[in-house]
Amino acid sequence: MKILVTGGAGYIGSHMCAELLRLGHEIVVADNFSNGTQAALDGVKKISGSDFPFYETDIRDENALEKIFYEHKIDCVTHFAGLKAVGKSVSEPLEYYENNLNSTLTLCRTMRKHGVFRMIFSSSAATYSPENSVPLTEDSVLGATNPYGRTKIMCEEILRDLCIAEPRFSVVLLRYFNAVGAHESGLIGDCPRGIPNNLMPFISQTAAGLHSELKIFGNDYNTPDGTCIRDYIHITDLIDGHVCAIEFSAENAGCEVFNLGTGRGISVLEMVDAFDKTNGLKLPRSIAPRRPGDFPEAYASPEKAEKMLKFRAKKSLEDMCRDTWKFQRNVPSEMR
Ligand code: NAD
Ligand code: UDP
């Protein structure tokens, strides 16, 4: 199959590229490098030992997308391109709505024009209302608390409406929980620009001496150890979920939504302790005030994905900690 990977120079997209090549698929990659890097693409080439067509382009640019679909007979699109920083989406909402909605609209229009009807869309657990009880099922109430999450809800609705209007479309919406870890080679991984907002990159950068200590945002939540609970899923598992979704989309028209998580809640303290233990480290840490907007507990019900996609996460917490640290020690200077 020939698969277009939008956002393929980013964290998740680059792992998708490596896996698709390993499975013998052809890929075409489009990324505007707003957050992705050439180093991630080079990592994919090293891992796979093969080259692939890459278009440095903004996928809101209809002419540029047109060229890609004209030059390649695409069978399926995995659509990762998007802006994802929750905090920035609050301070720059227009940029977020503009990018995440228009990229999806332009992509859908161009797909339809070229008779390409299969898409796997990167949605997020950030679409769920914090009022839900856990575990979160695909039927839990939606209600994002920030513009980023709202762009994902809106994209989901656009894609659902498209599938109703055009029954040839087959779209799989994947609501990711917290993606962590890195490729086992240590050649690609999560390498945020500037100071990371997310826990795992902050932990690994602190271990590498880039920050003086990890601040744990709140230890007075109503959870067993007082720190927030999330569902961390290893990037390799997350990518396996996409491979299952691609297969599912071949057999099922319409629009279907799935959580991609482990179903297991891990607290901030558990994660830091596991990182220390796995890697023989002792991270400097302190307790800081709660981070505004955080909610105590979120983890997935993985049942629907298990039943319908035949997907189940396999990697352990130790795998997540080991692979994150392996990549951090390997980060090429161009990716810092
Ligand atoms: P990332 O920032 O590493 O990758 C996104 C890529 O898209 C980047 O390389 C960026 O340069 C590119 N991009 C953005 N806008 C573009 C545009 N208009 N045209 C072309 N390229 C564009 O992020 P990621 O962690 O790999 O996330 C991938 C997708 O998954 C995003 O849509 C994100 O919202 C979603 N997601 C991620 C997580 C997570 O834990 N990382 C969780 C839930 C959802
Ligand atoms: N967190 C923390 N210190 C950090 C970064 C994050 O204590 O430097 C906590 C954060 O408050 C949350 C959890 O780690 O409870 C996961 O945060 P992240 O931003 O990675 O994911 P999200 O909250 O968006 O699910």
Side-chain angles (χ1 to χ4, degrees), residues 79-252:
H79 178 28
F80 297 97
L83 299 176
K84 65 162 182 178
V86 169
K88 237 178 160 193
S89 80
V90 176
S91 55
E92 295 170 17
L94 295 185
E95 196 186 340
Y96 270 67
Y97 286 113
E98 220 282 314
N99 190 71
N100 292 0
L101 296 182
N102 281 340
S103 60
T104 303
L105 287 167
T106 308
L107 183 59
C108 289
R109 251 194 329 268
T110 314
M111 285 173 65
R112 182 177 58 186
K113 187 168 165 197
H114 289 265
V116 180
F117 299 112
R118 289 166 66 189
M119 182 198 281
I120 314 301
F121 176 71
S122 301
S123 189
S124 170
T127 52
Y128 290 118
S129 159
E131 306 300 322
N132 289 297
S133 53
V134 286
L136 293 157
T137 73
E138 289 78 357
D139 294 328
S140 294
V141 175
L142 297 185
T145 55
N146 52 68
Y148 165 70
R150 282 189 278 277
T151 68
K152 293 295 182 186
I153 293 178
M154 290 175 190
C155 285
E156 284 195 3
E157 286 181 351
I158 290 168
L159 293 166
R160 235 181 240 111
D161 286 341
L162 175 64
C163 289
I164 292 167
E166 313 241 0
R168 282 176 303 178
F169 267 90
S170 169
V171 176
V172 182
L173 310 170
L174 297 177
R175 292 186 186 144
Y176 311 157
F177 283 68
N178 298 57
V180 297
H183 192 269
E184 57 178 13
S185 63
L187 289 169
I188 48 175
D190 191 9
C191 195
R193 295 180 186 186
I195 297 172
N197 291 309
N198 296 117
L199 179 64
M200 212 49 176
F202 204 97
I203 287 180
S204 60
Q205 288 193 6
T206 305
L210 300 177
H211 310 290
S212 58
E213 62 173 7
L214 169 75
K215 289 193 167 33
I216 294 173
F217 298 141
N219 67 347
D220 57 352
Y221 286 97
N222 185 19
T223 59
D225 66 19
T227 65
C228 290
I229 289 174
R230 297 287 182 273
D231 187 338
Y232 299 92
I233 176 168
H234 194 291
I235 184 75
T236 303
D237 282 330
L238 192 85
I239 295 303
D240 282 351
H242 287 70
V243 173
C244 296
I246 290 172
E247 284 163 12
F248 180 89
S249 73
E251 305 290 326
N252 298 275

Side-chain angles (χ1 to χ4, degrees), residues 280-327:
L281 298 165
K282 186 81 195 126
L283 282 197
R285 56 174 101 165
S286 68
I287 304 298
R290 290 181 178 198
R291 184 171 69 176
D294 268 350
F295 40 90
E297 198 170 19
Y299 57 89
S301 161
E303 274 177 31
K304 185 176 176 192
E306 282 177 14
K307 216 176 275 164
M308 293 176 67
L309 289 184
K310 315 283 179 235
F311 164 74
R312 183 194 282 263
K314 296 183 192 73
K315 295 275 189 178
S316 65
L317 191 53
E318 288 69 34
D319 294 329
M320 301 179 202
C321 294
R322 187 197 55 239
D323 293 342
T324 300
W325 183 224
K326 181 174 179 182
F327 172 68

